[in-house]
Amino acid sequence: MSNHIQIFDTTLRDGEQTPGVSFSFDERLKIAKQLEKWGVDIIEAGFPASSTGSFQSVEAISEALSTTAVCGLARCVKSDIDAVYEATKKAALPRIHVFVATSQIHLESKLKMTQDEVLASIKEHVAYAKDFFDVVQFSPEDATRTELPFLIDCVQTAVDAGASVINIPDTVGFSYPSEYGKIFKTLLETIKTDHEVIYSAHCHDDLGLAVANSMAAIENGAKRIEGTINGIGERAGNTALEEVALGLYVRQDHYNNQSKINLAETKQTSDLISRYAGIRVPKNKAIVGQNAFSHESGIHQDGVLKNPETYEIMTPQLVGVKTTELPLGKLSGKHAFAEKLVNLGYDIDVDEQKVLFKQFKEIADKKKAVTDRDIHALIQGTSHEQSAIYQVETLQLQFVSNGLQSAVVVIKDKDGNIYQDSSIGTGSILAVYNAVDRIFDRETELLDYSIDSVTEGSDAQAEVHVQLKIGNQIVSGVGIDHDILLASCKSYVEAQAKYIADISKEEGIHS
Ligand code: KIV
Ligand code: ZN
């Protein structure tokens, strides 16, 4: 048996079910390209029947990727399967993922179907999908709370109808490693088939066991792991794929299986998702957190200086975290800047480089050393679709009286139109946000505001994340600037612009 573990990334489907996360069309495409560079085998690019926006991005991603398979999600509904076929038909490797819930609680409370009706539906829809796709993946949703004999019947029915990938979702993050692993062992021993069947793990992190459960599945014969970057997803999130990839690599002595992940692209991939999702990676997060390779205690520092392996089971370089870098400064010219972009793995056209260079100079005027992280932040900020739609031109603040501040905000759209308004507030940030609300003319609730520094040091740029509720929708934005108030204003304008981009998308069904 092959010792290749396929990595199935569902950041753009299950990951986007994270409360408050909604990627734009442009962001989805950039994420898909980065995932291809990271080396995932399959990208679940969306749920095409759920909305026009999802359909269009699955279609665009299918056209853009050349080595990674592109998969679309479908319920056991013929029109869902048709939508996946239409959206992925130009992909080099089109795939479909058909699912139906199988646990008693889902059958009775959600689907109002009997077990026999579910079996008939699996047979009909997997066979229907097989007419359009070489590879059909089937998932019994809430598998870990499904009675084992019925789960076996569902899987056998799907395999008999032509499914060659069986995914076992721990939909509500209820299982634990030995129990989850045993399901795989039982299926591998019980299911009869005349074609190769790959078993796949799909875990949620409600009990913090998603990665452990996925690794237990591998120990019991699973050859595919589904998950998301940084573990984003519904509720507590999904299996963090970067942890699985490194677990397999560092402990190959135990797992004896490998993924094809390009580990050196891990940090870059994580940063991109964090940026576009508007969700900061916790500092202590495994593999990609800021502290993952820092050593605080004197004894540890001493040990690492003598031999890094005393306290490091992997090097930061392995996952693309740079520890030694040559920062740029205000005397650095266009060529040094262009070379830095290439070294950091960016392929940016000359026109965009000119814009970036100008912005780099502005940072270099204020900051002694412009680090790689500053440059990543600069690029991710400017290549961001929303920041291209609306830019904060100027921001002026004035103290009024009794703690009240007044703010004048000027915004420019991509066609050069200028919008401006002013307002007061009980603090500078509220004054700025009230003025922006007046420009966009809508009621907005600020759900979350957080501020961090891009790098260490007193001249570091500030990175502000906001989460807003506009109508029923939650949107997030990020702003980066030396000036905290300007960074705050930029993040708020970006969230507002994201909302505008999103309302043009149709609201759809969520799995
Ligand atoms: O968690 C889940 O059950 C899912 C299915 C759609 C596979 O995401
Ligand atoms: Zn899921």
Side-chain angles (χ1 to χ4, degrees), residues 429-437 446 449 464 466 488-489 491-492:
I429 291 174
L430 273 186
V432 172
Y433 288 177
N434 289 341
V436 177
D437 279 347
L446 180 63
Y449 174 96
V464 173
V466 289
S488 304
C489 186
S491 64
Y492 201 79

Side-chain angles (χ1 to χ4, degrees), residues 13-14 73 97 99 139 141-142 167 169 171 202 204 511:
R13 200 277 299 168
D14 227 349
L73 182 70
H97 177 187
F99 78 100
S139 285
E141 188 191 5
D142 205 15
N167 181 49
T171 304
H202 177 113
H204 282 265
S511 66

Side-chain angles (χ1 to χ4, degrees), residues 10 13-14 17 44 73-74 97-100 106 137-143 167-173 202-204 226 234-235 238 511:
T10 182
R13 200 277 299 168
D14 227 349
Q17 289 177 215
E44 186 164 55
L73 182 70
H97 177 187
V98 181
F99 78 100
V100 68
H106 278 242
Q137 164 168 335
F138 171 72
S139 285
E141 188 191 5
D142 205 15
N167 181 49
I168 301 299
D170 184 24
T171 304
V172 290
H202 177 113
C203 298
H204 282 265
E226 299 199 359
E234 189 98 38
R235 307 181 309 278
N238 289 56
S511 66

Side-chain angles (χ1 to χ4, degrees), residues 27-299:
E27 288 167 346
R28 283 158 172 263
L29 211 54
K30 287 194 174 123
I31 289 171
K33 287 184 184 160
Q34 179 60 31
L35 289 170
E36 181 163 67
K37 208 165 166 193
W38 193 50
V40 306
D41 298 272
I42 308 109
I43 290 177
E44 186 164 55
F47 182 5
S50 70
S51 70
T52 323
S54 181
F55 183 95
Q56 287 170 344
S57 48
V58 175
E59 196 175 38
I61 290 167
S62 297
E63 288 185 43
L65 302 189
S66 51
T67 54
T68 309
V70 181
C71 183
L73 182 70
R75 294 167 299 178
C76 275
V77 172
K78 285 190 178 158
S79 54
D80 279 24
I81 297 168
D82 294 342
V84 175
Y85 171 71
E86 287 301 325
T88 59
K89 65 184 177 197
K90 294 202 181 125
L93 299 163
R95 299 285 183 262
I96 187 161
H97 177 187
V98 181
F99 78 100
V100 68
T102 53
S103 64
Q104 207 48 37
I105 184 166
H106 278 242
L107 262 59
E108 278 169 19
S109 315
K110 186 178 92 174
L111 298 178
K112 316 265 183 243
M113 283 169 89
T114 64
Q115 291 192 340
D116 283 346
E117 284 168 339
V118 169
L119 290 175
S121 178
I122 295 171
K123 185 173 174 191
E124 180 185 356
H125 294 97
V126 171
Y128 183 73
K130 190 69 189 163
D131 285 343
F132 299 97
F133 292 88
D134 294 341
V135 180
V136 175
Q137 164 168 335
F138 171 72
S139 285
E141 188 191 5
D142 205 15
T144 53
R145 292 194 301 168
T146 302
E147 302 148 31
L148 194 56
F150 183 57
L151 182 67
I152 293 172
D153 285 348
C154 293
V155 172
Q156 188 67 64
T157 305
V159 168
D160 290 345
S164 55
V165 182
I166 295 296
N167 181 49
I168 301 299
D170 184 24
T171 304
V172 290
F174 179 67
S175 204
Y176 51 87
S178 56
E179 178 187 64
Y180 191 60
K182 203 162 157 215
I183 298 176
F184 285 82
K185 189 168 186 295
T186 308
L187 292 175
L188 270 144
E189 286 170 355
T190 319
I191 299 299
K192 295 175 193 58
T193 175
D194 58 4
H195 56 269
E196 194 194 353
V197 176
I198 286 176
Y199 288 89
S200 166
H202 177 113
C203 298
H204 282 265
D205 209 27
D206 300 68
L207 295 176
L209 290 171
V211 173
N213 286 343
S214 304
M215 300 315 265
I218 293 173
E219 288 169 337
N220 286 280
K223 290 287 172 189
R224 174 182 289 187
I225 299 296
E226 299 199 359
T228 60
I229 304 297
N230 301 336
I232 65 167
E234 189 98 38
R235 307 181 309 278
N238 289 56
T239 299
L241 288 178
E242 66 281 4
E243 296 180 19
V244 171
L246 268 296
L248 285 172
Y249 182 82
V250 174
R251 295 311 309 266
Q252 39 190 311
D253 60 319
H254 173 68
Y255 291 107
N256 194 26
N257 273 287
Q258 271 312 305
S259 75
K260 288 191 185 144
I261 292 300
N262 175 5
L263 299 176
E265 283 293 320
T266 305
K267 184 68 169 73
Q268 179 102 334
T269 311
S270 161
D271 285 350
L272 189 79
I273 301 301
S274 162
R275 170 79 178 88
Y276 288 169
I279 298 180
R280 287 193 75 85
V281 172
K283 287 198 168 141
N284 64 338
K285 161 89 175 60
I287 319 295
V288 289
Q290 208 175 306
N291 294 350
F293 299 96
S294 335
H295 303 279
E296 184 69 16
S297 103
I299 295 173

